[in-house]
């Protein structure tokens, strides 16, 4: 019988990928969601859904009871990242979960981005309380750009020639599954960046070539983004994302690609690899 793991936010972009990778290793996977019915209907049938509201922590102890390991992933740009992690830690202690893995971000000490600093604070909290916690620090995912690219136009509110170490979420999820099964040393921290530095212009050029149809790259302004895609966001998320775009405009988001290749034991997925896989 394989181990049981609990993945927080299993209906989200990251949680789904991690749950799928854990399932592929033969683990029994419990996935938390505020709406278990939707998680089931969503096709994630191999995951046992457990009702948890991360904002209050309600349901966490039940979700963790009997689990050998837990994957802590907080909703994107959630203002209470530290509180969510604190409640998850308390519940994991109460339920006796032996192994914790925390989904952080590359450069959690980057002072330009409050949501990075919150992850840095959550890392500290976990290290102090549970020194064995494994921390994963991914760069921006290739998958963030995929829907727009497949639709033929990627528009971003930062310069098109800023470089990014875009990483495949599938590769990140493989490392997450390694961490959940104890294959990574206790207390270790891993930066997970993709194998190439790409600008948005290069992202679009590569996609045009691989997809054999035009894919356009376009820059918009922060003001236009705020009035468009940003208009429906809560103020804290808007402020976090505008700060992130300003940082991207200044320096892009690049990291050392070597650790991911070492962890995977094979060349990590390139942007062209992902596009080829998506369109097969
Ligand atoms: N995107 C990237 O490139 C990238 C890179 C590095 C790190 N990260 C980090 O990865 C983490 C996960 O991001 P993501 O985009 O995968 O997450 P996400 O899609 O926002 O998913 C998080 C899930 O949490 C659940 N949730 C539970 N309580 C919630 C609440 N009170 N408010 C909102 N959602 C709640 C939601 O599921 P239900 O609605 O079913 O409850 C949601 O599906 C973030 O912390 C982000 O910083 C992302």
């Amino acid at each position: 019988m394989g181990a049981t793991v609990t993945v927080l936010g299993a209906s989200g972009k990251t949680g789904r990928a991690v749950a799928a990778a854990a399932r592929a290793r033969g683990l029994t996977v419990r996935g938390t969601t505020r709406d278990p019915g939707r998680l089931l209907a969503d096709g994630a049938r191999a995951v046992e859904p457990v009702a948890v509201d991360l904002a209050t922590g309600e349901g966490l102890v039940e979700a963790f009871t009997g689990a050998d390991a837990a994957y802590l992933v907080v909703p994107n740009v959630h203002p209470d990242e530290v509180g969510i992690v604190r409640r998850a830690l308390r519940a994991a202690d109460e339920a006796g979960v032996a192994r914790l893995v925390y989904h952080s971000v590359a450069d959690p000490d980057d002072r330009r981005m409050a949501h990075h600093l919150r992850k840095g604070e959550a890392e500290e909290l976990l290290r102090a309380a549970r020194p064995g916690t494994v921390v994963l620090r991914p760069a921006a995912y290739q998958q963030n750009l995929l829907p727009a690219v497949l639709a033929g136009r990627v528009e971003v509110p930062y310069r098109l020639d800023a470089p990014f170490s875009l990483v495949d979420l599938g590769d990140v999820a493989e490392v997450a599954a390694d961490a959940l099964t104890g294959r990574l040393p206790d207390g270790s921290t891993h930066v997970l960046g993709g194998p190439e530095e790409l600008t948005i212009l290069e992202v679009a050029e590569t996609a045009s070539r691989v997809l054999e149809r035009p894919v356009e790259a376009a820059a918009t302004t922060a003001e236009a983004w705020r009035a468009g895609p940003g208009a429906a966001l809560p103020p804290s998320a808007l402020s976090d994302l505008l700060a992130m775009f300003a940082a991207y405009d200044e320096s892009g988001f690049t990291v050392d690609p070597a650790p991911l290749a070492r962890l995977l034991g094979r060349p990590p997925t390139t942007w062209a690899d992902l596009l080829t896989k998506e369109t097969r």
Side-chain angles (χ1 to χ4, degrees):
M1 225 346 232
T4 296
V5 301
T6 299
V7 177
L8 300 189
S11 63
K13 194 190 281 187
T14 305
R16 288 177 71 93
V18 172
R23 282 286 307 149
R25 302 283 174 98
L27 301 176
T28 299
V29 181
R30 290 190 198 148
T32 81
T33 169
R34 287 167 296 182
D35 184 353
R38 204 187 60 203
L39 186 63
L40 279 176
D42 231 13
R45 269 177 281 276
V47 173
E48 293 172 18
V50 191
V52 170
D53 187 341
L54 295 173
T56 62
E58 204 179 324
L60 274 173
V61 175
E62 292 80 355
F64 286 155
T65 299
D68 303 287
Y71 198 78
L72 310 185
V73 51
V74 170
N76 200 25
V77 293
H78 197 289
D80 194 22
E81 175 116 16
V82 179
I84 288 175
V85 169
R86 187 177 290 115
R87 287 187 287 279
L89 179 58
R90 208 179 295 139
D93 284 344
E94 193 179 328
V97 180
R99 178 173 298 128
L100 297 183
V101 185
Y102 175 53
H103 193 87
S104 183
V105 71
D107 297 342
D109 54 355
D110 189 329
R111 302 192 62 76
R112 298 172 300 177
M113 294 179 277
H115 69 295
H116 281 225
L117 295 181
R118 293 196 293 270
K119 286 196 186 292
E121 195 180 335
E123 283 191 14
E124 289 307 312
L125 182 76
L126 285 162
R127 280 196 198 97
R130 289 270 205 132
T133 302
V134 173
V135 174
L136 303 186
R137 291 178 170 176
Y141 310 149
Q142 294 170 354
Q143 278 77 2
N144 297 345
L145 299 171
L146 200 54
V149 161
L150 293 177
R153 185 171 197 273
V154 55
E155 185 179 276
V156 294
Y158 46 87
R159 64 188 166 88
L160 298 178
D161 60 352
F164 293 88
S165 302
L166 297 172
V167 65
D168 171 35
L169 180 52
D171 287 352
V172 172
E174 269 194 47
V175 176
D178 280 343
L180 286 168
T181 49
R183 288 198 178 91
L184 304 187
D186 282 354
S188 57
T189 295
H190 307 273
V191 174
L192 306 177
E196 54 201 344
E197 288 189 9
L198 288 175
T199 67
I200 296 296
L201 280 174
E202 289 165 336
V203 160
E205 278 164 18
T206 302
S208 301
R209 176 169 51 74
V210 175
L211 303 176
E212 297 177 340
R213 58 177 193 262
V215 175
E216 186 191 351
T220 183
T221 61
E223 294 70 34
W225 184 87
R226 179 202 289 268
L233 293 174
S236 68
L238 186 64
S239 147
D240 283 344
L241 292 173
L242 285 169
M244 183 182 83
F245 295 143
Y248 285 180
D249 194 62
E250 199 171 78
S251 51
F253 187 17
T254 58
V255 305
D256 179 3
L260 178 62
R262 268 199 303 273
L263 287 165
L264 292 172
R266 61 163 170 80
T269 306
T270 64
W271 172 235
D273 291 339
L274 181 78
L275 290 166
T276 305
K277 209 168 4 168
E278 287 294 321
T279 51
R280 255 205 304 261

